[in-house]
Structures are given as C-alpha cells and as structure tokens.
Amino acid sequence: MTTNARLSVSVALLMVLLLGSILAACSNGGSNSGNTAGKGADNGGGKQEAPTTIKIMSDFTIAQPPSADNPVLKEFEKNTNTKLAITWVSAANASDYVDRLNVVLSSGDLPDLLKLDDVTNPLFQQMVKQGAFWDLTPFLSGYSNLMDYPKSVWENTKIDAKNYVIPVARPLNGFVFLNMRKDWLDKLGLQVPKTVDDLYEVLKAFKEKMPEGKSPTYGYTMRGSDILDGVFTDSNGRWKDVGGKLIDVNFDPGMRESILFKQKLYKEGLVPPDYSVMKDSQFWDLASNGSAGTTAETIEAQWRWTYDQWKRDSKVDWLPLSSLEGKNGAYVPEYRGYIGVLAIPKKVPEEKVKKILSLLDYGASEEGGTLALYGIKGVHYNEENGIKVSTEKSVEDSVGVGAFGKIFMHYDPYMYAFAPGMTKEVFERNKQVIDERAKVAKPDVAIGLVSQTDIKMGADYTKKMSDMKTQVIMGKATIEDWDNLIGAIQKDPTYVQITKEINEAYQARLAQNK
C-alpha cells in the first residue's frame, strides 16, 4: 500500500473512532467543574482543591526523559496544583516521533494535551475540520504570559483564522546560520566576510593556508547550505512573495546562481567531496577537529558542539555571522518562532481546558520558563556574574530544552545566545549578533500554509529538484539539465494546482491580517 493510501485509510479510521468521543464532548458542554492553576487553589470553602490530573504526550531529545518523581516535574505540579502524567516519546530521529504521533492521532485515544510536530500535520488538520480539537481563540486573551509570544507566531499557527494550538515558542533570531572561526580570520589577517564574494575569498584562504595544518582543510562543511540559496534568492523557505503572489523559490533566477556558486566551491575543493551523504556527526567532526573553518548551526548549539574544542584551546573562537549580503542587501533567515505546537482534544471538559492553559501560561512565565530550562536554583544551577551555571544534577534530572523545554517556554529573544559553560564575553557578543540579525531578518511567508495536493503529491517534486541540485553541484549533471527540469515542473498541471492552493491560503491569511 502506498503512503498516500495508508494516510487515507488512517484518516477514515480515525474519524469513525473519534465520532463517539466528539459527540460525548459536545454533550458534556463543559459542565464538569475544573480547577484554576495556582499554588494551593481554594474551592471557596477554605479547603484546597485536589490536584488536576493532566495527561500529556510530548517528545524528548536527550538520553533519558524525566522520571515520574523528577524534582522539576514535582515543582511544576506544586506550583500549578496539578498531577502531570507525561508520556515521553523519543525524537532522536524526528520521523520517529511523527510516526508515533500519527498512530496516536489515528487511534482516537488522545491525551489531554498533545504535542504535535507542526500545525500542518495532515491528520491533525483533518481532525480539526471534524471538530476533534478545541478552538482556543476565545480563551487566549486571559493568559498574559502566552500572549507575550510574538504576534507572528500566533498568526502563523492558525487554521482558518482560529487558534487550535499553543505554539512552543522559540526566539525568532539566533537560529541556524553561518558560524566562522574568527581566530582563523585573525591569524590570516582577514576581515569577517560581508558579501558572497567575501565569503568565497575567505573559504579559499582557509583551504589553501590550512590554519591548523590539517590536510585537507575545507573552507565550509556544507552543513545547512540552503542558507546560500536564501542569500541568492533573498527568500526564506520554499515559497517567495513576488508582487503579492507566491512562487516556488526554485523558480527564482537566484536559485540557479546559488547552484553555480556551490558548484564552484565543490570544484575547487572548498567543501567536502562527499558532503551530500555526510551525517551531522561528520560535519561536526570536521568543524571541531580543525579541518573546517565554517559551518552552520544555531548560536547556542555551535557552542555546545565545539565546547570541548574550546576547552582544549581557549583561542578557538567560533563567531556567528550577523548576515551575508547578496544582490538585494543583507540577508539572514528569521526562524518561525516555535518548535512544535500543543493541542487539546475536544473531549476535555472546558474547565479542564482552562486548567491546562493556566499550566502552560505558568510555563511561559519567567519563573516557569526558568524552571523548565534550568531547574531549581541551588540544585540544578547556580548564578555566577549574572549567568546561570548548571550543575551535574541538571544532567541527572534531564533539565533543559531537550525535555521540559519541549512543552514549557518563557519567550526570551536571547535564548539562543547562551549555552552552559559560555563566558560572559561570548554571551554578550552573541546578544549583539542577535540584535543585528533582528534588523534585517527575512521571515518565511509560507509558515503554516497548506496545500492538500502538495501533501499528497508534492514530495516527489521536491525530491527531484533537490537531487538535481546535488547532481549539478557535483558535476554529474549540467545547469541546463536544471533549467529543463524547472521548465517542466512549472508547466506540470499538478504543480500548477499546488501553487494555486498555496496562493489561495496565502491570500486568505493576508486578508485576515488586514
């Protein structure tokens, strides 16, 4: 059975399974009484209300998830008068969590709060249209910490102009972009590159001068090389706004220029010859052992990945670039501002919905966000010179973005500027970089937009174009082959339909935001 066929069967099955629970939820009409979040909630008669049990399913990306007796979990329960029953599912490979999520969605046996990979998840979209999840729009204004999330994040996670999900917020800036060995630049007497031409000269110098004597030395690992596509096309993501209409960015002339630029890097040996099949760990081996002077990552992850390198030699200095100039000026992509979304099934009574929102609002507060990311002061971290320094207990208790941070997040625009072990000087410099990026960051205009035809048939087109790019870069196909492929796809009736549907969704969003 094909993937599309399996999806169709799953959707049909889940609708049958969910019908009973949806009708039951509607008949309850929110009549069940619930609790408001808070320490020692009182029912008006002087007696403390019993904690509200909230069943949650979420992902984790660390070695072990928090246990049921985790002290941070207990602190969340105490501060919100809840009992949290969390099912943690590994997302070491993102597809593993999505597969498990789709099984749960198809079963209809849903927890009270469900973490989704994205609002665009096809099964979730189908279930929303069937009334299986709460429209949270009428409730949200009462939760000030959640409302502190950027407006664009709320707008980009709507379905039919309504908020069916709570985004798990992340900063708009500080995400994946180019990072470069500043100490290599200084050693070779080079300036930080500002333009694409500058970048080429620096990468060439890194290869030829081999600052750490490693042979071969590459200018760039080629991790995250679609960043260069954005520089040449002046666009972030798959779709670009041209005169108020969206076109596939692959159709933009700048994409052709980007392919040729990367082909030049490849031919001259400035990037690894096997980059297209390398794993993340291999990119990082090159960066952290002195064999490459440029790579791509979030600011905080760059520090984490190269921390041991810095401990061996404190002169090692990875500088996150503020932007890179193409023909249209300075470019850096703006992140979408969330790493997933949370949804509440309609079977949950209205009073419990409010309790769940209060829990998430606490997690979005400064106190709750600190608890999620750093744990308990004096146990999981200490403060030194205004910086939170983690203890070994924080690792033991699974504290940080890899577990509790997948559910709870206080919006901090500088979250990506800091990582454990970082010096104050580096932290302050990173904040300056984020401030500079915020001035020119290019948003992804198509976040959250859905084309049903694309869901069913778009992957094949995406793969064909991606494969052809790689072939041209590696000299196994010509740029004329790319031109021919793009010409054919532009005329393809199915792809024309995909473009039509995406534009309809885009125009609807523009109308809603006026």
Side-chain angles (χ1 to χ4, degrees):
M1 185 181 292
T2 66
T3 299
N4 291 334
R6 287 197 299 269
L7 180 60
S8 298
V9 171
S10 296
V11 172
L13 177 59
L14 80 90
M15 294 312 152
V16 173
L17 291 169
L18 282 174
L19 183 58
S21 62
I22 294 170
L23 292 175
C26 294
S27 64
N28 284 340
S31 60
N32 293 351
S33 61
N35 300 310
T36 56
K39 304 175 185 178
D42 192 291
N43 64 8
K47 296 182 180 179
Q48 182 176 325
E49 294 181 351
T52 301
T53 297
I54 301 175
K55 296 180 180 179
I56 303 171
M57 175 176 147
S58 182
D59 56 331
F60 73 95
T61 53
I62 52 179
Q64 294 294 330
S67 62
D69 61 352
N70 182 281
V72 173
L73 180 67
K74 293 301 178 185
E75 194 72 8
F76 265 104
E77 292 178 337
K78 181 181 75 174
N79 292 343
T80 59
N81 196 32
T82 57
K83 174 67 176 176
L84 304 180
I86 304 178
T87 299
W88 296 101
V89 179
S90 175
N93 293 312
S95 61
D96 291 345
Y97 184 74
V98 175
D99 289 345
R100 173 70 178 276
L101 172 65
N102 286 336
V103 169
V104 172
L105 286 170
S106 297
S107 74
D109 184 16
L110 305 177
D112 301 318
L113 183 66
L114 182 64
K115 174 75 177 292
L116 297 144
D117 54 320
D118 201 350
V119 69
T120 58
N121 181 291
L123 284 176
F124 177 67
Q125 290 262 336
Q126 289 280 357
M127 294 172 71
V128 165
K129 294 183 187 307
Q130 294 293 325
F133 285 89
W134 275 96
D135 170 14
L136 302 172
T137 313
F139 305 107
L140 293 176
S141 62
Y143 301 92
S144 59
N145 295 312
L146 291 173
M147 289 294 93
D148 281 342
Y149 292 171
K151 181 180 178 181
S152 62
V153 175
W154 287 108
E155 293 296 330
N156 291 337
T157 52
K158 285 182 176 180
I159 298 176
D160 296 333
K162 297 178 181 179
N163 292 110
Y164 289 92
V165 298
I166 302 294
V168 182
R170 288 294 188 269
L172 296 174
N173 293 291
F175 206 61
V176 179
F177 197 60
L178 298 179
N179 297 272
M180 184 170 286
R181 285 287 295 270
K182 177 66 165 56
D183 55 312
W184 283 17
L185 292 173
D186 294 342
K187 185 175 183 178
L188 300 178
L190 299 171
Q191 298 296 312
V192 176
K194 293 183 178 181
T195 69
V196 171
D197 291 339
D198 294 342
L199 177 66
Y200 167 75
E201 295 298 335
V202 167
L203 300 185
K204 184 176 180 181
F206 284 173
K207 176 188 182 296
E208 295 176 350
K209 301 296 177 61
M210 295 184 295
E212 291 191 14
K214 298 289 182 69
S215 181
T217 293
Y218 300 108
Y220 177 28
T221 63
M222 281 290 273
R223 188 178 192 275
S225 64
D226 55 348
I227 288 168
L228 295 174
D229 298 341
V231 176
F232 279 94
T233 62
D234 191 35
S235 181
N236 179 8
R238 178 179 169 188
W239 300 94
K240 178 178 180 177
D241 185 320
V242 178
K245 295 183 179 181
L246 297 186
I247 66 163
D248 188 312
V249 74
N250 287 292
F251 302 164
D252 187 272
M255 185 61 74
R256 192 180 195 273
E257 296 176 37
S258 180
I259 293 170
L260 291 174
F261 179 76
K262 285 187 273 190
Q263 183 188 68
K264 181 179 181 180
L265 301 183
Y266 185 87
K267 284 182 177 179
E268 297 184 16
L270 309 189
V271 300
D274 54 349
Y275 80 91
S276 65
V277 295
M278 287 172 60
K279 299 177 180 178
D280 256 6
S281 60
Q282 293 172 303
F283 288 123
W284 282 115
D285 284 345
L286 289 177
S288 62
N289 69 16
S291 296
T294 309
T295 191
E297 186 47 279
T298 67
I299 293 177
E300 60 88 19
Q302 180 75 35
W303 177 267
R304 286 191 287 105
W305 277 104
T306 58
Y307 179 71
D308 288 341
Q309 184 185 23
W310 176 77
K311 290 289 285 185
R312 294 191 303 268
D313 181 2
S314 61
K315 293 180 181 178
V316 171
D317 184 10
W318 283 97
L319 173 69
L321 299 191
S322 297
S323 61
L324 196 63
E325 290 184 15
K327 289 182 178 180
N328 296 291
Y331 172 86
V332 66
E334 181 179 270
Y335 185 47
R336 67 181 187 174
Y338 64 97
I339 56 147
V341 296
L342 298 159
I344 304 175
K346 192 68 175 180
K347 68 179 182 180
V348 177
E350 182 173 331
E351 286 305 310
K352 192 170 186 179
V353 170
K354 294 176 181 178
K355 186 70 175 181
I356 294 170
L357 291 175
S358 293
L359 166 68
L360 296 177
D361 193 66
Y362 172 74
S365 69
E366 185 172 0
E367 178 184 321
T370 298
L371 181 61
L373 294 191
Y374 299 102
I376 301 167
K377 186 175 182 180
V379 177
H380 301 110
Y381 75 93
N382 297 298
E383 288 194 4
E384 299 178 8
N385 298 319
I387 291 181
K388 294 178 176 65
V389 179
S390 299
T391 66
E392 289 299 320
K393 184 67 172 171
S394 68
V395 178
E396 179 182 333
D397 287 339
S398 306
V399 176
V401 295
F404 293 111
K406 298 290 186 180
I407 306 172
F408 307 109
M409 180 58 56
H410 168 65
Y411 186 76
D412 176 3
Y414 298 119
M415 175 192 153
Y416 283 134
F418 179 76
M422 186 179 288
T423 65
K424 187 171 184 178
E425 291 74 19
V426 171
F427 179 43
E428 292 300 326
R429 184 181 70 181
N430 288 344
K431 290 199 292 184
Q432 292 176 6
V433 169
I434 286 174
D435 288 341
E436 290 301 311
R437 289 186 182 183
K439 296 175 184 178
V440 298
K442 177 77 68 173
D444 182 344
V445 297
I447 295 173
L449 300 183
V450 173
S451 157
Q452 293 301 323
T453 303
D454 189 46
I455 289 172
K456 297 173 184 176
M457 307 178 71
D460 289 341
Y461 295 97
T462 300
K463 185 177 187 305
K464 285 178 182 178
M465 288 185 280
S466 178
D467 289 348
M468 181 59 75
K469 287 178 189 176
T470 303
Q471 294 295 309
V472 176
I473 291 168
M474 299 178 72
K476 298 179 180 180
T478 67
I479 195 65
E480 288 74 26
D481 293 329
W482 169 259
D483 294 338
N484 292 335
L485 174 64
I486 292 304
I489 292 177
Q490 284 178 306
K491 298 175 184 177
D492 187 292
T494 300
Y495 211 80
V496 169
Q497 181 64 22
I498 290 173
T499 304
K500 178 176 178 290
E501 291 173 4
I502 283 291
N503 271 282
E504 288 172 348
Y506 185 53
Q507 294 305 318
R509 174 182 288 172
L510 292 178
Q512 293 160 13
N513 294 341
K514 285 183 178 179

mmCIF file of all heavy atoms in Angstrom, residues 288-304:
data_model
loop_
_atom_site.group_PDB
_atom_site.id
_atom_site.type_symbol
_atom_site.label_atom_id
_atom_site.label_comp_id
_atom_site.label_asym_id
_atom_site.label_seq_id
_atom_site.Cartn_x
_atom_site.Cartn_y
_atom_site.Cartn_z
ATOM 1 N N SER A 288 35.033 20.586 14.582
ATOM 2 C CA SER A 288 35.610 20.584 15.926
ATOM 3 C C SER A 288 37.037 20.051 15.991
ATOM 4 O O SER A 288 37.699 20.189 17.018
ATOM 5 C CB SER A 288 34.721 19.777 16.881
ATOM 6 O OG SER A 288 34.630 18.428 16.465
ATOM 7 N N ASN A 289 37.533 19.455 14.889
ATOM 8 C CA ASN A 289 38.918 18.961 14.925
ATOM 9 C C ASN A 289 39.878 19.826 14.106
ATOM 10 O O ASN A 289 41.016 19.435 13.851
ATOM 11 C CB ASN A 289 38.991 17.490 14.477
ATOM 12 C CG ASN A 289 38.698 17.297 12.989
ATOM 13 O OD1 ASN A 289 38.717 18.250 12.208
ATOM 14 N ND2 ASN A 289 38.439 16.061 12.591
ATOM 15 N N GLY A 290 39.404 21.010 13.695
ATOM 16 C CA GLY A 290 40.286 21.931 12.984
ATOM 17 C C GLY A 290 40.406 21.683 11.504
ATOM 18 O O GLY A 290 41.331 22.204 10.853
ATOM 19 N N SER A 291 39.463 20.922 10.923
ATOM 20 C CA SER A 291 39.526 20.606 9.492
ATOM 21 C C SER A 291 38.599 21.460 8.644
ATOM 22 O O SER A 291 38.564 21.308 7.423
ATOM 23 C CB SER A 291 39.192 19.128 9.265
ATOM 24 O OG SER A 291 40.161 18.298 9.868
ATOM 25 N N ALA A 292 37.814 22.339 9.272
ATOM 26 C CA ALA A 292 36.926 23.236 8.534
ATOM 27 C C ALA A 292 36.749 24.514 9.340
ATOM 28 O O ALA A 292 36.687 24.480 10.572
ATOM 29 C CB ALA A 292 35.572 22.582 8.267
ATOM 30 N N GLY A 293 36.650 25.635 8.621
ATOM 31 C CA GLY A 293 36.574 26.919 9.285
ATOM 32 C C GLY A 293 35.210 27.570 9.282
ATOM 33 O O GLY A 293 35.027 28.643 9.877
ATOM 34 N N THR A 294 34.234 26.938 8.631
ATOM 35 C CA THR A 294 32.881 27.487 8.575
ATOM 36 C C THR A 294 31.886 26.340 8.622
ATOM 37 O O THR A 294 32.095 25.297 7.992
ATOM 38 C CB THR A 294 32.653 28.290 7.279
ATOM 39 O OG1 THR A 294 33.700 29.232 7.109
ATOM 40 C CG2 THR A 294 31.314 29.024 7.312
ATOM 41 N N THR A 295 30.815 26.512 9.387
ATOM 42 C CA THR A 295 29.721 25.544 9.389
ATOM 43 C C THR A 295 28.435 26.312 9.681
ATOM 44 O O THR A 295 28.423 27.535 9.652
ATOM 45 C CB THR A 295 29.980 24.414 10.406
ATOM 46 O OG1 THR A 295 29.043 23.360 10.199
ATOM 47 C CG2 THR A 295 29.913 24.916 11.834
ATOM 48 N N ALA A 296 27.359 25.602 9.933
ATOM 49 C CA ALA A 296 26.072 26.264 10.192
ATOM 50 C C ALA A 296 25.364 25.579 11.344
ATOM 51 O O ALA A 296 25.306 24.347 11.399
ATOM 52 C CB ALA A 296 25.198 26.245 8.941
ATOM 53 N N GLU A 297 24.829 26.393 12.262
ATOM 54 C CA GLU A 297 24.106 25.868 13.418
ATOM 55 C C GLU A 297 23.484 27.043 14.154
ATOM 56 O O GLU A 297 23.751 28.207 13.841
ATOM 57 C CB GLU A 297 25.070 25.099 14.331
ATOM 58 C CG GLU A 297 24.454 24.366 15.503
ATOM 59 C CD GLU A 297 23.229 23.535 15.164
ATOM 60 O OE1 GLU A 297 22.147 24.141 15.077
ATOM 61 O OE2 GLU A 297 23.334 22.313 15.020
ATOM 62 N N THR A 298 22.611 26.748 15.119
ATOM 63 C CA THR A 298 22.132 27.805 15.997
ATOM 64 C C THR A 298 23.317 28.309 16.820
ATOM 65 O O THR A 298 24.321 27.601 16.992
ATOM 66 C CB THR A 298 21.040 27.305 16.951
ATOM 67 O OG1 THR A 298 21.612 26.363 17.874
ATOM 68 C CG2 THR A 298 19.899 26.641 16.191
ATOM 69 N N ILE A 299 23.184 29.505 17.362
ATOM 70 C CA ILE A 299 24.295 30.079 18.112
ATOM 71 C C ILE A 299 24.635 29.233 19.335
ATOM 72 O O ILE A 299 25.804 28.929 19.596
ATOM 73 C CB ILE A 299 23.966 31.527 18.525
ATOM 74 C CG1 ILE A 299 23.886 32.420 17.279
ATOM 75 C CG2 ILE A 299 25.005 32.072 19.491
ATOM 76 C CD1 ILE A 299 23.489 33.858 17.564
ATOM 77 N N GLU A 300 23.609 28.823 20.090
ATOM 78 C CA GLU A 300 23.893 28.063 21.304
ATOM 79 C C GLU A 300 24.384 26.657 20.996
ATOM 80 O O GLU A 300 25.276 26.147 21.679
ATOM 81 C CB GLU A 300 22.663 28.031 22.219
ATOM 82 C CG GLU A 300 21.404 27.397 21.641
ATOM 83 C CD GLU A 300 21.329 25.910 21.866
ATOM 84 O OE1 GLU A 300 22.035 25.415 22.763
ATOM 85 O OE2 GLU A 300 20.586 25.250 21.137
ATOM 86 N N ALA A 301 23.859 26.030 19.956
ATOM 87 C CA ALA A 301 24.305 24.678 19.608
ATOM 88 C C ALA A 301 25.735 24.682 19.082
ATOM 89 O O ALA A 301 26.486 23.720 19.286
ATOM 90 C CB ALA A 301 23.367 24.052 18.586
ATOM 91 N N GLN A 302 26.125 25.757 18.400
ATOM 92 C CA GLN A 302 27.506 25.876 17.941
ATOM 93 C C GLN A 302 28.462 25.801 19.134
ATOM 94 O O GLN A 302 29.492 25.126 19.083
ATOM 95 C CB GLN A 302 27.705 27.201 17.199
ATOM 96 C CG GLN A 302 29.118 27.416 16.674
ATOM 97 C CD GLN A 302 29.425 26.582 15.457
ATOM 98 O OE1 GLN A 302 28.557 26.356 14.621
ATOM 99 N NE2 GLN A 302 30.651 26.113 15.335
ATOM 100 N N TRP A 303 28.102 26.498 20.209
ATOM 101 C CA TRP A 303 28.939 26.454 21.405
ATOM 102 C C TRP A 303 28.958 25.056 22.009
ATOM 103 O O TRP A 303 30.013 24.531 22.383
ATOM 104 C CB TRP A 303 28.435 27.470 22.434
ATOM 105 C CG TRP A 303 29.214 27.420 23.714
ATOM 106 C CD1 TRP A 303 28.925 26.692 24.827
ATOM 107 C CD2 TRP A 303 30.435 28.111 24.002
ATOM 108 N NE1 TRP A 303 29.878 26.875 25.802
ATOM 109 C CE2 TRP A 303 30.818 27.750 25.326
ATOM 110 C CE3 TRP A 303 31.243 28.998 23.293
ATOM 111 C CZ2 TRP A 303 31.973 28.242 25.936
ATOM 112 C CZ3 TRP A 303 32.387 29.494 23.906
ATOM 113 C CH2 TRP A 303 32.743 29.119 25.199
ATOM 114 N N ARG A 304 27.793 24.438 22.111
ATOM 115 C CA ARG A 304 27.728 23.099 22.715
ATOM 116 C C ARG A 304 28.568 22.090 21.941
ATOM 117 O O ARG A 304 29.288 21.282 22.526
ATOM 118 C CB ARG A 304 26.270 22.624 22.788
ATOM 119 C CG ARG A 304 25.452 23.305 23.866
ATOM 120 C CD ARG A 304 24.117 22.644 24.088
ATOM 121 N NE ARG A 304 23.151 22.885 23.034
ATOM 122 C CZ ARG A 304 22.789 22.011 22.111
ATOM 123 N NH1 ARG A 304 23.323 20.799 22.100
ATOM 124 N NH2 ARG A 304 21.893 22.316 21.193
#
